[in-house]
Amino acid sequence: MSQSGKVLLIDGMSFLFRAFYGSAWGGGYRQTSSGVYTNAVYGFTKMMLDYAELVRPTHLIVGWDVASRESLVRSQWYDGYKSNRQAPPDELIPQFDLVKEVTHAFSVPNLGCPGFEGDDVLGTLSSRLAMEGHQVIIATGDYDSLQLISEQVSVKILKNGGKHEHFDPASLLALRGIIPEQVVDVKALMGDASDCIPGCPGIGEKTATKLIIEHGNLDNLYENLANCTPKMRSKLEENREQVYLSQKLATIIRDVPVEFSYDEAAWQYDRTTVHSKFEELEFGRTLAGRVS
């Protein structure tokens, strides 16, 4: 086994979209002198360096979505999954490949798996790495990742203004009253409009959390419907199939067939290679000064 390390896993889509919209609100998009859009790539790179400085990892990996919505495993389970997603802005589309050129310059692996989402890639990696004895920190904007928390896996949820919320088992319990194993069951009841996960109509986050805390998990809740109010019992009975489908959709898959080399993920890079890429993208001195 490799010597125990500290691995930073970055949710590539979360970082890139946040970087794009965070820098685009004023209507101006950073471009090179030849007209190449770089605002999302610049913001992504800054955020990656911010978190690398904060966490001080021995290794760093970026996980990506690599499939269209239609080809996702979850879309085969439920046709409506993420059906409300709009196409990304034209200014962002070329930056999906460009950002991977930058991470490549840093010798950071970009990992994805057809049919699966970045969450599944990070879930698989975090599970494998934790089993091997490594400490894992996931940086993402997606609260679904809270289900991955363990004694060896913590999650940093991106917030506006460059801030984040740090979650480990203790802070998850203190802030939300639940344990990692209950995260999915809460979402199964409340649903998620952003991913088109239906949940149980009429049950919001507060009620979902209360029910799961009281009963421990979804199965126990359904085994004890007699203890619920008639109105609640009726809702849950009527939507049982939909609730269990929502549980399946919300569960991060932790065994996707993604290959990676731990040694190749070491957070060490050639300064000259990085500066050359920065120069090509006209990133300027501020960012270059942080790469020593």
Side-chain angles (χ1 to χ4, degrees), residues 56-248:
R56 299 195 173 279
T58 58
H59 295 71
L60 196 155
I61 300 170
V62 183
W64 295 96
D65 296 347
V66 295
S68 64
R69 186 193 73 81
E70 293 76 17
S71 62
L72 292 174
V73 167
R74 288 178 182 83
S75 295
Q76 295 166 26
W77 300 339
Y78 176 54
D79 192 48
Y81 183 68
K82 290 192 173 179
S83 57
N84 60 347
R85 292 295 165 100
Q86 302 291 316
D90 291 342
E91 296 86 354
L92 176 57
I93 292 171
Q95 299 188 64
F96 287 120
D97 290 331
L98 203 54
V99 73
K100 291 173 185 173
E101 292 179 19
V102 172
T103 50
H104 182 72
F106 277 98
S107 298
V108 169
N110 293 294
L111 299 181
C113 189
F116 299 94
E117 297 171 71
D119 280 356
D120 300 320
V121 172
L122 298 184
T124 299
L125 296 178
S126 63
S127 296
R128 284 190 205 169
L129 291 163
M131 278 195 298
E132 291 172 5
H134 305 296
Q135 182 185 353
V136 180
I137 301 93
I138 299 171
T140 178
D142 193 343
Y143 282 94
D144 286 352
S145 294
L146 298 181
Q147 67 190 266
L148 302 173
I149 290 171
S150 68
E151 291 303 323
Q152 286 177 269
V153 179
S154 60
V155 173
K156 293 186 181 297
I157 299 287
L158 310 179
K159 308 296 284 184
N160 291 335
K163 297 177 182 177
H164 71 271
E165 281 182 291
H166 179 82
F167 286 95
D168 55 24
S171 60
L172 178 63
L173 189 61
L175 293 169
R176 299 202 158 202
I178 57 176
I179 60 175
E181 292 77 11
Q182 294 173 322
V183 169
V184 170
D185 286 354
V186 170
K187 187 161 183 177
L189 290 171
M190 64 181 277
D192 184 349
S194 66
D195 287 344
C196 297
I197 294 177
C200 184
I203 294 182
E205 182 176 8
K206 190 174 177 182
T207 302
T209 303
K210 181 173 178 286
L211 287 168
I212 295 302
I213 290 172
E214 281 178 9
H215 295 274
N217 59 49
L218 203 55
D219 290 343
N220 284 345
L221 170 61
Y222 270 99
E223 285 168 14
N224 292 280
L225 287 182
N227 297 330
C228 296
T229 64
K231 188 177 178 183
M232 181 60 68
R233 183 164 66 246
S234 175
K235 278 181 195 174
L236 290 168
E237 284 176 340
E238 190 179 327
N239 295 285
R240 179 193 291 254
E241 192 176 324
Q242 186 167 288
V243 167
Y244 274 100
L245 172 62
S246 298
Q247 183 193 47
K248 185 178 181 180

Side-chain angles (χ1 to χ4, degrees), residues 7 58-61 107-109 260-268:
V7 186
T58 58
H59 295 71
L60 196 155
I61 300 170
S107 298
V108 169
F260 75 102
S261 162
Y262 178 76
D263 293 336
E264 287 177 11
W267 177 238
Q268 53 190 28

